[in-house]
């Protein structure tokens, strides 16, 4: 892996997203807000559809509608905007954009170290004449889906990439794959098919291009294009495949805690889509080493970010974070021979404590399980800079309604936890209806010392995406935090201002409502205005 992370998603003709492509920006901490049925969940579901497709071990379906992730759809028509059920036709277009670091020397080694001038000539990649050892690249994969003879197919798949440098962005040659009537694909390099001998092997919706080197010489243009693919697309596509397969998802629903749990059959890496494996995770991996940054805090001097990444067993790390959230009890386990184990929180079993604890536990576990250096012994606590230098991957986590069953104070302090984990190699996508979380993010930005590292991080890496719907079509508007705690754009309507509107309404009703008479020991005292008392 090369610290790959999602940067954008594009939706077109997908559910409530219409024929004009909608661009969704992702940041290390991205919050989705908006009214019910506005299209928030569709953003997460688009990623989950790609994930559950990649997770299929057998078959090369370009899109799997019946997977383990709950994206219910009987056929492509159900997720296509305006399409009638039971007919063949054009489906949605999904496009993802991601950042990754490409090892150029490794790619050249795989291409058998071709002549660089000849490679530049045949591939159109001019910068390869003076290749850097590695380069940061932004890659975009666009997939057009359709149904043909009741099968889901991709009618056109396009790959584009840009070298991202400090002073300029260089666009690389485009690769397009267009479905032919016979079911094969035309392979176009810079929209030029030529006499292409390029072959494509599909890993679901990911195209990997090659050429039979026994049939083409070292100066052949198709060989140059195949080598060009190795340079600019092969590694990023492998990164995307890994990134999607590692995407964690937690829905808003949680199962009722059990009185006795069965141990896991093997090592678990995910809490389950409803958090149903949270107890087994604690049981099987409670002593494994995990790394986390103490959540940013609000002290007298403002927002403070710790600079030491802690290394602790999972069960201890969870306990410390619960302490920070204002819930000081600890988790422990009681083994029941030949049966299973009881998970305790404080002196009571999880089965007998409030539902908020069982809703909160999988959220905290996800943040810790997303540690890119999980179960690695770093020799103890390490400086933040040293930790960031060692991580090689960014783990992505999507969750829905983290505020469910939580006290407002705990909900607000979750913002601190999301920030600290996002700083340390996790990227969060959070669908929420809770304004306490966003208010606390605003407060942290406003309280941060001017021009401090934490102020700059908050204003660059936290985004609020408002999803609205008009005439059946969803749109997305992005707002970033500012040093004053305001948004770079208008805050979502009827969201941040709702509490103040309610207080204003209560105040106005109160001052206009006639006061009730006061009765002292059976004697009614009449309330009169100063005018009625002639000012006395």
């Amino acid at each position: 892996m090369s610290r790959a992370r999602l940067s954008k998603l594009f939706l077109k003709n997908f559910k409530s997203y219409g024929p004009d492509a909608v661009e969704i920006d992702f940041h290390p901490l991205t919050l989705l807000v908006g009214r019910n049925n506005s299209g928030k969940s569709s953003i997460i579901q688009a990623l989950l559809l790609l994930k559950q497709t990649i997770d299929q071990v057998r078959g090369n379906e370009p899109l799997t509608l019946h997977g383990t992730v709950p994206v219910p759809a009987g056929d492509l028509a159900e997720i296509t905007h305006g399409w009638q059920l039971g007919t063949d036709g054009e489906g949605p277009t999904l496009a993802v954009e991601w950042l990754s670091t490409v090892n150029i020397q490794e790619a050249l080694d795989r291409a058998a170290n071709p002549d660089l001038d000849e490679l530049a000539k045949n591939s159109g990649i001019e910068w390869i004449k003076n290749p850097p050892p590695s380069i940061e690249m932004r890659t975009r994969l666009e997939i057009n889906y359709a149904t043909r003879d009741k099968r889901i197919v991709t009618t056109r798949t396009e790959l584009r990439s840009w070298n991202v440098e400090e002073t300029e962005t260089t666009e690389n040659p485009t690769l397009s794959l267009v479905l032919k009537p016979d079911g094969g694909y035309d392979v176009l390099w810079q929209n030029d098919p030529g006499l292409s001998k390029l072959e494509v092997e599909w890993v679901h919706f990911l195209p990997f291009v090659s050429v039979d080197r026994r049939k083409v010489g070292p100066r052949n243009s198709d060989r140059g294009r195949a080598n060009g693919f190795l340079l600019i697309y092969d590694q990023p596509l492998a990164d995307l495949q890994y990134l999607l397969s590692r995407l964690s998802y937690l829905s808003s629903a949680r199962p009722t805690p059990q009185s006795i749990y069965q141990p896991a059959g093997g090592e678990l890496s995910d809490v389950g889509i409803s958090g149903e494996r949270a107890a087994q995770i604690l049981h099987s991996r409670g002593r494994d080493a995990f790394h986390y940054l103490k959540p940013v805090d609000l002290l007298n001097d403002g927002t403070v970010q710790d600079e030491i990444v802690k290394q602790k067993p999972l069960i201890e790390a969870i306990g410390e974070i619960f302490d920070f959230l204002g819930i000081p009890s600890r988790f422990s386990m009681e083994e029941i021979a030949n049966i299973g184990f009881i998970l305790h929180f404080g002196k009571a079993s999880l089965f007998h404590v409030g539902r908020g604890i069982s809703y909160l536990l999988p959220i905290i576990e996800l943040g810790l399980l997303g540690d890119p250096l999980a179960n690695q012994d770093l020799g103890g606590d390490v400086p933040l800079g040293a930790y960031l230098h060692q991580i090689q991957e960014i783990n992505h986590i999507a969750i829905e309604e983290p505020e469910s069953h939580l006290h407002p104070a705990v909900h607000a302090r979750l913002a601190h936890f999301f920030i600290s984990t996002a700083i340390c190699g996790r990227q969060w996508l959070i669908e929420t209806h809770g304004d306490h979380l966003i208010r606390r993010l605003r407060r942290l930005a406003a309280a941060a010392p001017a021009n401090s590292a934490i102020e700059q991080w908050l204003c660059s890496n936290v985004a609020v995406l408002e999803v609205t719907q008009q005439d059946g079509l969803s749109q997305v508007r992005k707002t970033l935090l500012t040093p004053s705690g305001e948004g770079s754009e208008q805050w979502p309507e009827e969201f941040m201002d709702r509490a103040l509107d309610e207080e204003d309404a209560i105040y106005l009703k109160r001052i206009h409502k006639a006061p009730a008479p006061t009765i002292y020991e059976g004697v009614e005292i009449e309330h009169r205005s100063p005018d009625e008392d002639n000012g006395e």
Side-chain angles (χ1 to χ4, degrees), residues 409-450:
V410 178
H411 178 206
R413 290 183 77 81
L414 265 181
H416 303 237
F417 174 71
F418 290 140
I419 291 168
S420 65
T421 47
I423 289 173
C424 292
R426 290 77 149 175
Q427 182 156 306
W428 293 90
L429 179 60
I430 301 171
E431 180 189 349
T432 180
H433 292 286
D435 63 342
H436 298 291
L437 177 60
I438 296 179
R439 287 183 190 279
R440 181 53 59 88
L441 290 169
R442 293 176 57 196
R443 181 180 172 188
L444 290 167

Side-chain angles (χ1 to χ4, degrees), residues 403-527:
E403 67 273 12
S404 296
H405 291 279
L406 296 185
H407 186 278
V410 178
H411 178 206
R413 290 183 77 81
L414 265 181
H416 303 237
F417 174 71
F418 290 140
I419 291 168
S420 65
T421 47
I423 289 173
C424 292
R426 290 77 149 175
Q427 182 156 306
W428 293 90
L429 179 60
I430 301 171
E431 180 189 349
T432 180
H433 292 286
D435 63 342
H436 298 291
L437 177 60
I438 296 179
R439 287 183 190 279
R440 181 53 59 88
L441 290 169
R442 293 176 57 196
R443 181 180 172 188
L444 290 167
N451 300 315
S452 63
I454 186 61
E455 180 194 73
Q456 294 175 22
W457 191 94
L458 288 168
C459 295
S460 301
N461 295 289
V462 178
V464 178
L465 305 185
E466 181 190 13
V467 185
T468 59
Q469 192 175 126
Q470 186 173 6
D471 299 327
L473 297 175
S474 294
Q475 293 294 324
V476 178
R477 182 181 63 188
K478 181 175 75 171
T479 291
L480 299 174
L481 295 176
T482 66
S484 65
E486 300 301 320
S488 59
E489 301 289 341
Q490 179 182 346
W491 286 111
E493 295 181 3
E494 298 187 347
F495 186 81
M496 297 301 294
D497 55 352
R498 176 54 60 189
L500 293 176
D501 288 347
E502 293 295 321
E503 289 295 334
D504 287 345
I506 292 169
Y507 174 76
L508 290 172
K509 292 297 183 184
R510 184 173 66 233
I511 63 175
H512 288 98
K513 179 180 284 187
T518 303
I519 299 177
Y520 292 96
E521 297 181 357
V523 179
E524 181 176 314
I525 307 298
E526 181 182 0
H527 292 281

